[in-house]
Amino acid sequence: MTLLKKGLHFYLFGLLILTLGIALSVLSLLGTSPFDALLVGLFRTFGLTIGSWEIVVGTSMVLGNALFDQKRPEYFALITSFITGIGIDSWLFILEYIYIPHGLGGQIVYLLLGILLTGIGVAFYLQSEIAPNPMDRSMMILSNRLNWSVTKSRAIMNVLLVIIAFLFGGAIGIGTLINAFVVGWIISLLLPWTSKLRNSNLDQTSFD
């Protein structure tokens, strides 16, 4: 019951949808989100899997977030990176057996679905009391400490990530540009709704 009150179901559902969105964007070959473009670039440059680099980079961001927010590192956030990394590799494995788009039409469908599912996934798992993905924690820290909107915080971070991803030959394309500015808007749009859903769920849990 305690885990339900912390929003474990929001957490797991959100990560499930988020990692599916990431995998779809990767397979679209039209460009991933700036953060995932960096992961793909590291994969192309040094090997390992995209999910493995999610874990490595996530660990680095946990330490960076702690320094910027002047708090202890959220070591539990490493679990989120670990689950996200496994989820990305698992969805890539499954989707490669189901369908890999080779035509532009299929690639566009994969990209748009990937962007939509990424925004939905983040909006859901941010409602849990379980540590979020380090990237999204950075977004929230910037938003709270600098009094920026979620959209502005994510956009500025994405510009920096695109520059770094470019240096490593990451998966940068038209999808990267769309992802950089649209996902933050989707999250901002859905956060009030997912928050109401979360509060409603808490009321029902307390009543039960």
Side-chain angles (χ1 to χ4, degrees):
M1 186 64 69
T2 300
L3 288 176
L4 287 178
K5 288 182 178 180
K6 287 183 175 293
L8 178 64
H9 46 316
F10 280 84
Y11 176 78
L12 294 177
F13 177 76
L15 290 182
L16 178 69
I17 298 302
L18 168 63
T19 52
L20 174 57
I22 293 172
L24 287 169
S25 296
V26 170
L27 293 177
S28 76
L29 300 179
L30 296 177
T32 65
S33 72
F35 182 76
D36 298 319
L38 172 61
L39 301 182
V40 174
L42 292 171
F43 157 69
R44 292 173 177 174
T45 304
F46 301 108
L48 297 179
T49 64
I50 296 174
S52 297
W53 282 112
E54 162 72 32
I55 298 172
V56 172
V57 176
T59 300
S60 301
M61 293 194 75
V62 167
L63 298 178
N65 289 340
L67 289 174
F68 189 81
D69 207 26
Q70 299 179 354
K71 293 182 179 179
R72 285 187 175 184
E74 291 183 295
Y75 295 112
F76 193 73
L78 298 178
I79 297 177
T80 303
S81 292
F82 184 76
I83 295 175
T84 303
I86 292 177
I88 293 171
D89 286 344
S90 297
W91 278 120
L92 286 173
F93 178 80
I94 293 171
L95 291 171
E96 285 175 355
Y97 276 93
I98 295 176
Y99 176 67
I100 297 180
H102 297 290
L104 182 59
Q107 291 175 329
I108 292 175
V109 170
Y110 261 40
L111 175 63
L112 295 180
L113 278 176
I115 290 173
L116 177 62
L117 293 176
T118 296
I120 293 174
V122 173
F124 263 91
Y125 86 73
L126 283 179
Q127 298 306 318
S128 73
E129 295 178 17
I130 302 173
N133 182 288
M135 167 66 178
D136 295 303
R137 172 63 78 192
S138 298
M139 176 184 67
M140 299 305 291
I141 289 174
L142 282 177
S143 178
N144 293 331
R145 292 185 67 87
L146 301 179
N147 198 28
W148 290 349
S149 67
V150 173
T151 301
K152 180 179 179 179
S153 299
R154 195 176 185 91
I156 291 176
M157 290 183 62
N158 283 335
V159 170
L160 296 176
L161 287 170
V162 166
I163 294 173
I164 300 174
F166 177 77
L167 297 176
F168 285 101
I172 299 174
I174 186 62
T176 306
L177 181 63
I178 298 173
N179 210 308
F181 295 99
V182 173
V183 170
W185 176 78
I186 294 175
I187 295 171
S188 296
L189 184 67
L190 292 178
L191 276 177
W193 178 76
T194 54
S195 179
K196 290 181 180 179
L197 186 63
R198 166 76 169 137
N199 293 333
S200 175
N201 185 264
L202 278 175
D203 291 340
Q204 291 179 5
T205 303
S206 298
F207 179 78
D208 294 339

